[in-house]
Amino acid sequence: MSLRFTVSLAALGAATAVLSAASTPAKADEGMWTFDNFPIQTVNDKYGTHIDQAWLDRVRNSAVRINGCSASLVSGEGLILTNWHCVVGCAQELSSAEHDYVKNGFLTATREEEKECPGQTAEILTDIIDVTDRVLGAGQGLEGAAFVQARGAETTKIEDENCTDKETQTCQVISFYRGGRYALYKFRKYEDVRLVFAPENQAAFFGGDPDNFNFPRYALDTGFLRIYEDGKPVATPTHLTWNPNAPKEGDVTFVAGNPGSTSRLLTMSQLERLRDQVNPITLIQASELRGRLQEYATTSEEAKRVVFDPLFGLENSFKVYYGQEGALTDPDFMGKKREQEAELRARVAADPAIAARIGDPWGDLEKVQASARDLYLPYRQLEASAGGGSDLYRYAKTIVRAAKERAKPLAERRAGYTDAALAQQARRLAEVTPIDQGLEEIYLTHWMLKTREYLTVDNAEVKAMLGKDAPADIADRLVQGTKLGDPAVRAQMFAMTPEQLAASGDPMIAFVLANDNAAQAVRAQWDSAVNGPTAKAGEKIAQARFAVYGTNLYPDATFSLRLSYGAVEGWTYRGVTVPPFTYMGGLYERATGAEPFNAAQAFLDNESKVNKDTVYDFVSTNDIIGGNSGSPVINAKGEVIGAAFDGNIHSLGGSFGYDGALNRTVTVSTAAITEALRNIYHQPRLLAELGVR
């Protein structure tokens, strides 16, 4: 239940730079490969498959990127397969105290019952265009914040030139190999995405947090969406064929999805700062916030309902970063990383031509870490994690910054603030989403308390933010007084100038306006001292890597479409062998009747109808990471045989490396989904659309 991509825990991506690509050519089934550099021959030779470009194109055109997750088209009428935990946010937003679709599931008998998911988009990759020369050429001769600004302006220009219809297209310039390559990814975008099917939370998340990142698993972590346009389902003739049969041990498997972020080639100095500063602060704050949310859940049944998804995401992320910290504090793991870095540096030093061209980017990054250590806390608290997760604060920040940027000439705006981008922001702000005031106050109070704690009471920015008031009192005043919960008010304020916003009288807007200059100032410092020099050093390391190891390397994950390959296979650890399959009958044996091991009522009611020999979940050697949630797991024929939803406990260090002997992808099988649709949830319409009789 771990693979939804999120940076909400600590704005981790903003705090650490990502160095991409493997330091040496990939071994075993390692790698999250781009579709324009997939090792076709290697896979065909190893597994006896017949993958070709046509196969890759069909898979690429069937893959879907949704908010924080992956998915795939599985019918000709816009039907999308993903995970339950990728649609549970939608189910919760559609729910009310009277209709709890998270607890009871969301079932539809007709198309008319499918409901739009607020804020959800679906994107299908259509083109990959190399733009390396243009991006590398921008910012030449510049340093620090000016370098970052020039690069941002050029990427924005490339995106705008190639996406003329912002309502149906997304263009994104993506950095690969830590600045060694840049590509423009063009997507066909759909903004009308509707929920079709989601099981009860206890079916999808059976075993809860204790089973999370573990195997065996007995989870029906699946959900279906549908894309619409002009009020009608989108015709999608290119889609994956549904195979209702489970794979066999040893069968080759492919995972097509959008892994969020890996850091497999951070330098040692970067890894050490992550280990010593970023992760500990992340874990401490997450732990405290988790306690606040758990306490809030005990105050009422309604509070328990609304806190379910935020708490689920927080607990999941906490476990991820806890596992990452375990890898970073493992002497053997860090020893291997140190050896890899030493090898690359030695081979660069041994070639005078390369050494003269590359210089010492590792030394440069050591100096950057010293600056980053000093700036991290103010940058984190005042900018990267400002608001602590509050939607109302986020709305206000979006409105205030849009007003400021809109007042500038187009050439002087920050990246992401073109007229087209502002229009998209306006559409997002106008979407109807539920706001829980209790949760909002928790987020804001926790953020202000930690900001005061970390930056100290005497800090000028803290004094300006809090004055003489207690954080809880400020949070209460802001949440109770703002009108930003109304999408009509958000739309109205988005069109205002900074002066009009200042005169609006809205307390949340006033609060953001009062503190935004300080936030933007620390952001500029971070760009100058950290982002800019890190980008330059990263490019040099990428050049060194290409010069030493060649270009047949996979890049680090960037929430862009990738394809991994592997096989259905269990593992052995400390003398214990874990088989690759679980079966639906095992759920009933594992169920205790007490949370989180209480079976869903629909499973209990229909136990006599269930084929208990059906493969439920299975594991494979595919290399994946957060963001791969909902990714289709595909066989050699290009048929979908499951949806990836988790990794095993050994995969928690996957951000920094891949161990083919232990790292496993956990997948819910199409066999189990088919069995559940037929004999538990009685969904003949869905089965017919999937081509299952």
Side-chain angles (χ1 to χ4, degrees):
M1 211 64 67
S2 62
L3 299 172
R4 181 168 59 182
F5 178 50
T6 176
V7 294
S8 61
L9 239 180
L12 185 63
T16 62
V18 175
L19 292 176
S20 312
S23 60
T24 57
K27 301 175 182 178
D29 293 332
E30 178 180 351
M32 305 169 197
W33 299 86
T34 58
F35 272 70
D36 57 350
N37 190 35
F38 186 75
I40 294 176
Q41 196 59 51
T42 298
V43 175
N44 287 340
D45 289 345
K46 179 174 183 177
Y47 287 107
T49 51
H50 302 283
I51 305 305
D52 58 16
Q53 190 60 47
W55 189 97
L56 289 175
D57 290 343
R58 186 166 68 85
V59 171
R60 174 177 59 80
N61 289 324
S62 301
V64 181
R65 184 172 72 172
I66 59 178
N67 297 355
C69 283
S70 302
S72 60
L73 292 166
V74 289
S75 88
E77 299 174 273
L79 186 66
I80 291 174
L81 170 69
T82 188
N83 288 153
W84 166 86
H85 75 266
C86 295
V87 303
V88 66
C90 172
Q92 183 150 322
E93 289 178 336
L94 295 175
S95 295
S96 64
E98 294 76 27
H99 299 285
D100 190 344
Y101 297 124
V102 176
K103 180 179 180 181
N104 302 318
F106 183 87
L107 310 180
T108 56
T110 66
R111 294 275 173 85
E112 288 70 30
E113 294 176 356
E114 298 173 359
K115 294 187 178 184
E116 185 173 356
C117 292
Q120 183 62 272
T121 60
E123 298 172 321
I124 300 171
L125 180 62
T126 58
D127 294 288
I128 302 174
I129 302 170
D130 185 86
V131 294
T132 302
D133 290 344
R134 283 189 63 176
V135 177
L136 292 183
Q140 284 190 346
L142 300 176
E143 300 290 338
F147 174 84
V148 174
Q149 173 70 20
R151 281 285 178 88
E154 184 64 22
T155 58
T156 298
K157 184 178 180 182
I158 293 170
E159 291 166 354
D160 280 352
E161 289 173 356
N162 286 275
C163 274
T164 56
D165 184 353
K166 295 300 187 293
E167 292 192 16
T168 64
Q169 294 178 313
T170 297
C171 281
Q172 183 181 8
V173 174
I174 301 174
S175 171
F176 296 102
Y177 305 105
R178 184 49 187 95
R181 302 278 169 80
Y182 289 85
L184 173 70
Y185 273 43
K186 293 181 66 174
F187 300 86
R188 178 63 166 89
K189 179 175 64 175
Y190 299 93
E191 294 188 336
D192 184 352
V193 183
R194 305 187 190 183
L195 185 60
V196 176
F197 170 83
E200 314 98 311
N201 62 346
Q202 201 50 39
F205 197 33
F206 177 84
D209 190 59
D211 268 2
N212 196 14
F213 287 109
N214 283 300
F215 196 82
R217 292 293 294 275
Y218 301 88
L220 190 70
D221 195 349
T222 188
F224 288 94
L225 301 167
R226 192 184 306 278
I227 49 176
Y228 281 73
E229 197 165 46
D230 299 326
K232 300 177 181 178
V234 175
T236 51
T238 301
H239 60 84
L240 298 177
T241 299
W242 186 270
N243 184 336
N245 301 308
K248 294 179 174 59
E249 187 168 4
D251 282 359
V252 63
T253 50
F254 301 87
V255 176
N258 300 277
S261 177
T262 53
S263 305
R264 294 185 176 179
L265 274 178
L266 288 174
T267 64
M268 289 307 300
S269 63
Q270 291 173 303
L271 287 173
E272 287 162 357
R273 189 176 72 83
L274 186 65
R275 177 195 66 197
D276 299 338
Q277 183 185 44
V278 177
N279 272 8
I281 291 172
T282 296
L283 288 166
I284 290 170
Q285 290 210 24
S287 181
E288 292 183 20
L289 181 59
R290 178 177 61 178
R292 289 174 179 269
L293 295 184
Q294 289 172 334
E295 182 181 13
Y296 182 63
T298 67
T299 60
S300 70
E301 284 300 312
E302 179 63 6
K304 182 179 180 181
R305 182 186 71 81
V306 299
V307 84
F308 178 87
D309 188 44
L311 183 57
F312 163 77
L314 184 62
E315 288 182 333
N316 184 77
S317 296
F318 182 89
K319 207 164 189 176
V320 170
Y321 292 121
Y322 181 78
Q324 291 183 1
E325 188 68 358
L328 294 174
T329 54
D330 182 333
D332 290 339
F333 176 82
M334 292 295 275
K336 291 176 183 177
K337 300 297 289 188
R338 196 169 283 108
E339 290 172 5
Q340 290 173 356
E341 181 172 303
E343 179 197 351
L344 178 58
R345 296 180 72 166
R347 293 183 66 172
V348 168
D351 189 319
I354 298 177
R357 178 161 54 93
I358 300 302
D360 184 18
W362 296 272
D364 294 339
L365 284 172
E366 288 178 12
K367 297 174 185 176
V368 170
Q369 300 321 300
S371 299
R373 285 187 180 91
D374 291 339
L375 286 172
Y376 174 65
L377 284 175
Y379 176 66
R380 184 192 195 284
Q381 294 303 122
L382 299 176
E383 172 63 7
S385 296
S390 161
D391 285 331
L392 294 172
Y393 184 95
R394 176 172 55 84
Y395 294 150
K397 183 176 178 180
T398 299
I399 290 167
V400 166
R401 293 203 170 171
K404 290 183 175 181
E405 294 298 324
R406 196 166 45 233
K408 301 176 184 177
L410 187 60
E412 297 178 14
R413 294 179 190 173
R414 279 175 37 205
Y417 285 96
T418 62
D419 290 340
L422 289 169
Q424 184 175 19
Q425 288 184 12
R427 291 197 300 274
R428 290 287 180 88
L429 284 172
E431 292 168 346
V432 179
T433 54
I435 297 290
D436 184 83
Q437 293 185 333
L439 275 177
E440 289 289 306
E441 291 190 25
I442 288 172
Y443 290 138
L444 287 168
T445 300
H446 180 253
W447 163 60
M448 285 185 277
L449 284 169
K450 302 312 292 184
T451 300
R452 183 176 65 185
E453 177 183 336
Y454 287 143
L455 303 190
T456 77
V457 173
D458 297 317
N459 177 272
E461 284 75 23
V462 172
K463 286 183 176 180
M465 179 188 296
L466 302 182
K468 297 183 178 181
D469 295 328
D473 293 337
I474 297 172
D476 178 72
R477 183 175 70 247
L478 295 178
V479 172
Q480 299 300 324
T482 186
K483 296 180 180 179
L484 291 177
D486 184 342
V489 172
R490 296 197 295 268
Q492 181 183 18
M493 288 189 172
F494 189 79
M496 292 182 180
T497 64
E499 293 75 21
Q500 290 171 326
L501 289 174
S504 69
D506 188 277
M508 189 69 78
I509 291 289
F511 182 78
V512 171
L513 278 170
N515 296 285
D516 191 56
N517 286 343
Q520 298 226 45
V522 74
R523 178 192 180 99
Q525 287 181 285
W526 188 264
D527 280 346
S528 179
V530 181
N531 284 343
T534 296
K536 287 199 166 188
E539 287 175 15
K540 291 180 181 179
I541 292 176
Q543 292 167 11
R545 196 174 303 122
F546 291 143
V548 171
Y549 300 119
T551 58
N552 190 28
L553 306 168
Y554 68 90
D556 244 331
T558 53
F559 199 48
S560 54
L561 187 62
R562 306 296 178 87
L563 187 65
S564 72
Y565 63 91
V568 176
E569 183 182 314
W571 75 95
T572 299
Y573 181 66
R574 293 180 177 174
V576 177
T577 296
V578 181
F581 301 108
T582 61
Y583 300 88
M584 295 190 77
L587 168 76
Y588 297 97
E589 297 172 5
R590 196 175 183 86
T592 65
E595 291 186 1
F597 296 100
N598 52 320
Q601 192 60 46
F603 274 71
L604 296 175
D605 292 343
N606 295 283
E607 181 177 359
S608 63
K609 302 175 185 178
V610 174
N611 179 357
K612 295 183 178 180
D613 293 328
T614 302
V615 169
Y616 204 157
D617 299 330
F618 65 88
V619 294
S620 63
T621 61
N622 295 84
D623 189 4
I624 65 171
I625 200 74
N628 272 118
S629 281
S631 295
V633 180
I634 303 165
N635 64 15
K637 295 180 180 179
E639 301 167 330
V640 60
I641 56 173
F645 71 93
D646 207 352
N648 65 352
I649 199 71
H650 307 288
S651 70
L652 285 172
S655 288
F656 312 113
Y658 172 81
D659 183 344
L662 295 175
N663 289 24
R664 293 295 181 268
T665 292
V666 182
T667 296
V668 56
S669 74
T670 50
I673 299 170
T674 301
E675 182 70 14
L677 292 176
R678 177 184 288 125
N679 290 323
I680 297 175
Y681 297 104
H682 312 296
Q683 293 286 301
R685 180 176 69 96
L686 267 182
L687 289 169
E689 186 171 352
L690 294 169
V692 178
R693 297 180 180 178

